Amino acid sequence: MKRTFSSLLIVLAVILAGCTSSSTVNLKDLRVEMKENPIGIGVSQPRFMWKITSASPDLIQTSYQIQVAESPDNLKSGKDLLWDTGEVKSEESVQIPYEGNPLQSRKQYYWRVKSNTNQGTTGWSDINTRSMTLLNPSDWKATWIGENKLSNPGETNQGKTRLAARYLRKEFAVDKPVQRAVLYISGLGFSESFINGKPVSEDIFAPGPSRYPNHVYYNVYDVTDLLAKDENTIGVALGNGRYFGMRDQQDALPSLLAQLEIEFADGSQTTIISDTSWKITSQGPIVANNEFDGEEYDARKELNGWNRNGFDDAYWLTADVMPTPAGGLTVQANPNLRIQDEIKPVSITERPDGKYIIDMGQNMVGRLAINLKGKKDQPITMVFAEILKEDGSLYLDNLRSANVTDIYTPAQDGSFSWEPIFTYHGFRFVEIAGLDYKPELADFTGKVIYDKMKTTGKFETSNPMINQIYKNAYWGIRGNYRGMPTDRPQRDERHGWLGNRVTGAYGEAFIFNNALLYNKWLQDIEDSQSPEGSISDVSPRYWTIYNDDVTWPAAYFYVANLLYRQFGDKSAIIRHYPRL
């Protein structure tokens, strides 16, 4: 009996000790500027944040300590630290600004944090990284390049515009082991970038849209693993996006600014920049691309291997030096769009005219990937709509002037796979023409596209009707995240109307981690103001509408307040207060 009682005391002591040990209090979700291990930070005082977890309730942080260094070894040894806060008595774990030695362009930095709590200490976190972007204008050596003319039949920069995609390429040699390689790139309006035939990221429609006379965004990618020994090729396809817009007079043609910086293991460096040594063509397979009207792809004009070594580009043109955009070149802080979901159709119906109607089962926003069989030179046409008429045909009246049509022309008889890269549609139904057989459901995949962000909340009740209303709202919100919060994704508009988000943005923040998107949109609103300070009802200001009231412009300060209330980010209020 005595031995049993002693054993119980030992077990109890172990349990109690565990309740105060570091094993029950942990750190997770370490972030810098709200991103995990970010590449290309563009602020001189980046902000740190973390979460503390425990199996026990009522957890409170009592102090923290952050350390920053230029290497993991320096962190571990505690030597040559750039910043060591020491123990800071505070419950704060959100948006802690860096206050150490000045940070330098391009440099990669390492950091860690530990917290003391009322339930024990966490110990040091895992070592996290962040890297800085090109902080000074003089860091840029690249030149804006492109094709400074309309080269294809039917192209126009007026009214309902039409323009083919541009393809650019540059071969270069790497003759030493590579330590690190970073690509700084802005492809206006949209770009898809490759090194040795492999995409540099999963981003879509990069960079984000902006008020181009004020800001032009660029992205930063670590491409170390994509480089090969000896010969390499960088290839970039340029779509029109909002830079060469869909309607009215358009003077700005697609342009590329790219700077690939390579650090070798021996400490030396080299830089590959966009300049007139690059080759370009607009005679590729994407013969037209437009957010409103769709994408046309002619497989007979495919450039097989254009983004790999050894491609014969003798007939390509020398890239032109393009006008430098007026807007300030700024690293993009918010993530680009990604394929975030996929859905399959639920039915296929044959029409009396031989066309087929594909029903995706619900409205979605994105693009349609197809695996079909075609005939050489016979176009396959896809028209997109949200609803059907009573006779089962597409209802298109609500789309106004938007053509919402993708066209694929096969180069030969047989099977092919394809999806557009420079357009998207808001749709449930797709009308397919040009097939001589009935396709199967497995031949189609709807790829849902919106800004890369986490779904952080959910809502569910015992009432199916309320649940469906929530589901509709969920799909409607994310379907309108397009690098800006838009009004609708289907017709000839798709703008950032402020009125739609005056209070709606706050509700959205309970579902999505949308802080970076809305922080960026506040800059769009500021950029869209008139010289007198009027706030545009549409931001970025692709349409100019100033009503000089406080109804829809109220989104400017409501969204700034949302970022503070929901995410603890007061920087937007400080930054934009002078413009209100």
Side-chain angles (χ1 to χ4, degrees):
M1 184 69 179
K2 183 178 180 181
R3 181 178 301 173
T4 303
F5 182 72
S6 299
S7 300
L8 288 173
L9 288 176
I10 293 172
V11 171
L12 181 60
V14 170
I15 293 174
L16 290 174
C19 290
T20 59
S21 72
S22 61
S23 63
T24 62
V25 185
N26 297 292
L27 293 168
K28 70 172 188 176
D29 291 344
L30 275 67
R31 298 286 188 270
V32 178
E33 289 299 305
M34 300 188 185
K35 292 181 281 189
E36 182 180 2
N37 295 324
I39 299 172
I41 292 293
V43 294
S44 59
Q45 287 186 289
R47 298 162 299 167
F48 301 86
M49 57 192 301
W50 57 89
K51 293 180 182 178
I52 314 167
T53 64
S54 171
S56 302
D58 302 321
L59 178 67
I60 300 174
Q61 177 181 279
T62 57
S63 67
Y64 67 81
Q65 183 176 359
I66 303 172
Q67 291 182 340
V68 178
E70 292 187 4
S71 73
D73 289 340
N74 286 356
L75 275 184
K76 294 174 184 177
S77 68
K79 296 179 180 179
D80 298 321
L81 298 179
L82 298 174
W83 188 39
D84 186 349
T85 65
E87 184 178 359
V88 178
K89 301 289 185 181
S90 173
E91 296 181 7
E92 293 293 332
S93 60
V94 175
Q95 311 295 358
I96 309 298
Y98 175 79
E99 295 178 347
N101 294 340
L103 303 175
Q104 302 177 32
S105 290
R106 306 176 176 89
K107 292 279 290 188
Q108 191 165 12
Y109 297 98
Y110 301 83
W111 72 285
R112 64 181 182 177
V113 62
K114 67 178 178 180
S115 293
N116 292 315
T117 77
N118 60 339
Q119 297 181 20
T121 180
T122 64
W124 285 113
S125 68
D126 292 338
I127 293 175
N128 281 241
T129 67
R130 73 178 192 277
S131 66
M132 306 304 291
T133 187
L134 303 178
L135 299 176
N136 307 304
S138 60
D139 294 330
W140 282 96
K141 307 303 179 186
T143 302
W144 286 97
I145 59 173
E147 183 178 349
N148 202 13
K149 58 183 177 295
L150 308 182
S151 302
N152 298 285
E155 290 186 338
T156 179
N157 66 342
Q158 301 183 39
K160 186 177 286 189
T161 63
R162 180 180 176 85
L163 190 72
R166 272 79 165 121
Y167 299 83
L168 299 102
R169 67 187 309 273
K170 166 75 175 180
E171 294 193 15
F172 60 96
V174 172
D175 56 2
K176 292 181 286 189
V178 174
Q179 180 71 28
R180 184 169 177 254
V182 178
L183 176 64
Y184 305 87
I185 183 168
S186 180
L188 300 177
F190 295 148
S191 64
E192 291 234 331
S193 306
F194 306 85
I195 291 182
N196 297 325
K198 297 179 180 179
V200 302
S201 78
E202 296 178 354
D203 288 354
I204 294 172
F205 306 149
S210 66
R211 170 75 179 154
Y212 298 110
N214 297 82
H215 278 91
V216 171
Y217 291 110
Y218 69 92
N219 301 122
V220 184
Y221 302 107
D222 188 318
V223 295
T224 308
D225 294 339
L226 297 180
L227 294 183
K229 186 179 180 181
D230 299 325
E231 296 302 315
N232 290 267
T233 297
I234 180 171
V236 181
L238 292 181
N240 302 329
R242 298 289 176 123
Y243 192 64
F244 182 85
M246 289 75 70
R247 298 292 184 266
D248 303 322
Q249 176 77 31
Q250 301 296 328
D251 297 319
L253 291 169
S255 302
L256 171 68
L257 184 76
Q259 187 158 308
L260 173 60
E261 299 192 349
I262 304 172
E263 302 173 12
F264 296 107
D266 64 5
S268 61
Q269 301 178 352
T270 191
T271 302
I272 309 300
I273 61 172
S274 53
D275 57 18
T276 54
S277 67
W278 288 53
K279 303 297 287 290
I280 188 171
T281 186
S282 61
Q283 308 298 313
I286 301 179
V287 298
N289 66 99
N290 184 303
E291 284 187 60
F292 293 168
D293 301 325
E295 184 167 306
E296 299 177 34
Y297 189 94
D298 189 341
R300 297 168 299 184
K301 303 182 73 173
E302 283 183 340
L303 306 166
N304 294 320
W306 70 274
N307 52 16
R308 295 183 175 89
N309 301 331
F311 177 80
D312 183 6
D313 59 11
Y315 68 94
W316 286 32
L317 303 174
T318 298
D320 295 323
V321 174
M322 302 295 285
T324 299
L329 192 59
T330 306
V331 66
Q332 183 176 322
N334 60 301
N336 281 303
L337 284 77
R338 294 278 184 94
I339 296 171
Q340 299 275 70
D341 205 348
E342 294 186 356
I343 64 175
K344 301 295 290 187
V346 297
S347 69
I348 299 176
T349 304
E350 185 172 4
R351 300 283 298 151
D353 58 4
K355 299 176 183 178
Y356 296 93
I357 299 289
I358 313 299
D359 182 359
M360 302 304 295
Q362 66 167 80
N363 271 334
M364 60 159 286
V365 181
R367 61 196 191 197
L368 186 69
I370 57 177
N371 295 281
L372 297 171
K373 291 176 287 187
K375 298 289 187 181
K376 184 178 184 297
D377 304 330
Q378 296 183 16
I380 295 170
T381 301
M382 292 150 277
V383 184
F384 298 79
E386 293 179 306
I387 55 177
L388 301 177
K389 297 180 180 179
E390 291 185 2
D391 65 1
S393 62
L394 297 184
Y395 179 78
L396 299 172
D397 293 352
N398 66 315
L399 304 183
R400 301 190 302 205
S401 72
N403 287 349
V404 295
T405 301
D406 292 343
I407 302 173
Y408 181 94
T409 302
Q412 58 189 14
D413 295 351
S415 300
F416 67 89
S417 298
W418 178 76
E419 61 188 87
I421 63 172
F422 291 137
T423 194
Y424 70 90
H425 304 282
F427 67 101
R428 172 176 173 176
F429 301 98
V430 190
E431 180 188 80
I432 311 290
L435 297 177
D436 59 4
Y437 71 100
K438 183 176 182 178
E440 299 179 356
L441 294 176
D443 296 334
F444 304 94
T445 302
K447 298 195 173 183
V448 179
I449 299 171
Y450 61 99
D451 295 63
K452 182 186 177 184
M453 65 178 68
K454 287 186 178 181
T455 298
T456 53
K458 63 180 181 179
F459 177 83
E460 186 174 3
T461 75
S462 59
N463 188 311
M465 176 68 74
I466 295 176
N467 292 341
Q468 185 62 48
I469 292 172
Y470 170 78
K471 179 183 177 183
N472 292 351
Y474 172 77
W475 279 84
I477 292 166
R478 65 180 185 163
N480 278 291
Y481 284 164
R482 326 302 308 166
M484 55 183 172
T486 61
D487 60 326
R488 50 183 57 84
Q490 79 291 68
R491 71 184 191 189
D492 56 350
E493 192 169 345
R494 313 182 194 193
H495 289 323
W497 287 92
L498 273 65
N500 300 43
R501 292 312 199 285
V502 171
T503 57
Y506 182 72
E508 295 166 19
F510 286 93
I511 306 172
F512 299 101
N513 186 2
N514 56 15
L516 292 171
L517 170 66
Y518 273 111
N519 234 317
K520 179 264 183 189
W521 193 48
L522 287 179
Q523 187 61 56
D524 293 332
I525 297 173
E526 178 183 311
D527 290 347
S528 301
Q529 282 185 279
S530 73
E532 298 77 21
S534 294
I535 296 173
S536 173
D537 286 353
V538 171
S539 297
R541 183 161 56 89
Y542 301 126
W543 287 356
T544 299
I545 303 175
Y546 295 119
N547 282 319
D548 290 333
D549 56 34
V550 76
T551 50
W552 288 16
Y556 196 10
F557 49 84
Y558 266 82
V559 170
N561 187 48
L562 143 73
L563 293 171
Y564 176 65
R565 293 178 63 186
Q566 292 290 84
F567 301 99
D569 183 2
K570 61 184 179 182
S571 65
I573 295 175
I574 296 170
R575 185 169 66 253
H576 296 284
Y577 185 82
R579 301 298 297 266
L580 293 173

